[in-house]
Amino acid sequence: MNDRQGGFLISKIKAIGGRRFDRILQKKNIDAFNGAQGKILYVLWQYGSMTATEISKKSGLAKTTLTAMLARMREQGLVSTEENSDDKRSAIIALTPEAVGLKDEYDAVTREIEGIYYRGFSDEEVTRFEGFLVRILKNLEEEDE
C-alpha cells in the first residue's frame, strides 16, 4: 500500500484554503471579487494583458471554467476585452482601472492567508517548501504538454 498523501493533502489545502480566503474577503467587506476570480486578477496584475489561453496556463484554470469566469468579470467591470492584432481568433483580456485599484486589498488578504499557511514555519522552511512545490508543478506541467 502506498502511504504517500501529497496529492490528497494539496487538494485538501486548496479546498480549505479557498474557503478561508473567501471568509477573509467577507471579513474585510471585499465584495468586488471572489477567491476564484482573484486567481485571474493575480495573473493579470503580475503579467499584464494577455489572451485567455495564456491566463489559463498561468493560473491553472481550465479554459472552459475561465471563459465563464471572464464573462462574469466583464459584467462586473473587472476586465475588458480588446482585439488581438496578432491573432484575430483570440482576444486580449485586460484589467479595468477598477480592478487595478483592487490590488492593495488583494495583497492584504494574501498576506493574511500566508500568515495562516506559514504559522510556525521559519523563512528557510517556507523557501524549501515552496521550492518543492515549484518542482511538483514543473513535473505536472511537463506531463501536460
Side-chain angles (χ1 to χ4, degrees):
M1 170 152 163
N2 184 352
D3 292 332
R4 303 256 185 231
Q5 297 183 40
F8 172 77
L9 293 171
I10 289 170
S11 294
K12 192 170 179 181
I13 289 166
K14 180 180 181 272
I16 296 170
R19 288 193 303 269
R20 185 69 192 129
F21 191 91
D22 284 338
R23 279 199 298 272
I24 294 169
L25 288 173
Q26 288 177 341
K27 181 180 82 174
K28 292 183 177 291
N29 294 316
I30 298 171
D31 59 3
F33 61 91
N34 61 37
Q37 292 170 332
K39 292 176 189 175
I40 297 167
L41 293 171
Y42 176 81
V43 167
L44 293 170
W45 283 320
Q46 296 301 309
Y47 301 101
S49 302
M50 62 183 65
T51 66
T53 300
E54 292 168 319
I55 294 170
S56 175
K57 287 178 184 172
K58 292 197 180 297
S59 69
L61 294 167
K63 279 170 75 171
T64 52
T65 303
L66 185 63
T67 301
M69 290 176 68
L70 286 171
R72 176 144 169 77
M73 291 173 75
R74 269 193 300 278
E75 291 170 11
Q76 292 173 275
L78 296 173
V79 297
S80 63
T81 305
E82 305 165 1
E83 184 177 302
N84 184 352
S85 58
D86 295 334
D87 182 355
K88 301 293 184 205
R89 296 169 296 167
S90 67
I92 300 294
I93 310 300
L95 293 170
T96 63
E98 178 185 339
V100 171
L102 295 170
K103 187 174 184 315
D104 288 342
E105 289 180 273
Y106 180 88
D107 288 346
V109 175
T110 299
R111 282 190 300 276
E112 187 168 336
I113 196 78
E114 284 177 356
I116 294 167
Y117 281 172
Y118 296 135
R119 186 181 307 132
F121 286 81
S122 70
D123 287 342
E124 179 185 330
E125 288 172 322
V126 171
T127 300
R128 288 182 58 218
F129 171 70
E130 289 186 350
F132 294 143
L133 291 176
V134 168
R135 286 172 54 190
I136 291 170
L137 179 59
K138 185 177 180 211
N139 291 342
L140 288 169
E141 288 173 341
E142 287 172 357
E143 287 294 315
D144 209 27
E145 292 175 353

